[in-house]
Amino acid sequence: MLMTIRGLRGVPSMKLPSDERLGHILKRAEQEVNAAKHTALRPFNLSTAQHTVMLAIHEAPGLSGAALARRCLVTPQTISSVLGTLEGRGLVERKPHPVHQHILEARLTRTGRNLLNKADDAVSVVEESLAAAFQAEERATFRAFLERCSSALRK
């Protein structure tokens, strides 16, 4: 049966309009955050993916490519590409694990640490701007709701 949706005759209605789809709203918000971070990172010639990887390495030096991929929620191929670019720019170095020589550990170079500090200051302005839209209690509730979204989809 054809139903009218938003004034369009003959267009079959969807079960759920896009403005009521939480996943759609989350995706739109994610794109807005990424666009703001991209703008903030442009002066440092870093992509959001490169910043995320550098931040992960800063927080846990010595991670392997596979561990970084899991931590950054990307594929091993993506991590390999990002690490190759960062290594080529002298921002990251990869050296064999002391025991498992086939595993390469990633660490920031001094240049990488310096650039990350500056770039992360710019990204922090974006994060602070986003956080300022909510009261402290609202931020805590919002984080809890987002965690609930994640756990609901892992079931």
Side-chain angles (χ1 to χ4, degrees):
M1 175 177 161
L2 293 180
M3 300 175 70
T4 303
I5 184 168
R6 300 185 198 252
L8 298 176
R9 284 191 131 332
V11 175
S13 66
M14 296 290 117
K15 259 186 162 176
L16 194 61
S18 61
D19 62 351
E20 292 180 22
R21 294 174 186 240
L22 292 179
H24 180 76
I25 296 165
L26 284 169
K27 179 65 174 174
R28 188 176 67 232
E30 176 194 27
Q31 289 175 329
E32 298 277 350
V33 170
N34 283 338
K37 286 183 179 183
H38 174 77
T39 300
L41 290 167
R42 188 176 299 132
F44 306 99
N45 195 26
L46 286 175
S47 69
T48 54
Q50 291 167 340
H51 173 261
T52 299
V53 170
M54 290 178 72
L55 192 58
I57 294 170
H58 169 75
E59 291 175 347
L63 289 176
S64 68
L68 276 168
R70 287 188 296 275
R71 188 177 185 115
C72 297
L73 304 174
V74 297
T75 66
Q77 294 84 355
T78 298
I79 279 295
S80 179
S81 174
V82 171
L83 284 174
T85 300
L86 293 173
E87 194 171 27
R89 290 182 57 193
L91 303 174
V92 167
E93 61 184 3
R94 293 186 279 181
K95 293 184 179 174
H97 184 277
V99 176
H100 308 286
Q101 296 290 306
H102 65 284
I103 297 175
L104 297 178
E105 298 180 323
R107 298 184 189 283
L108 295 175
T109 63
R110 175 176 281 127
T111 302
R113 283 190 301 275
N114 290 338
L115 183 63
L116 177 61
N117 285 335
K118 293 172 188 169
D120 199 58
D121 284 346
V123 169
S124 291
V125 171
V126 173
E127 292 287 349
E128 289 164 358
S129 175
L130 180 59
F134 302 93
Q135 298 296 318
E137 186 176 310
E138 290 175 318
R139 285 191 299 272
T141 301
F142 188 51
R143 278 192 296 273
F145 286 159
L146 291 172
E147 287 297 326
R148 192 183 315 168
C149 287
S150 292
S151 66
L153 297 173
R154 284 191 299 258
K155 291 181 180 179

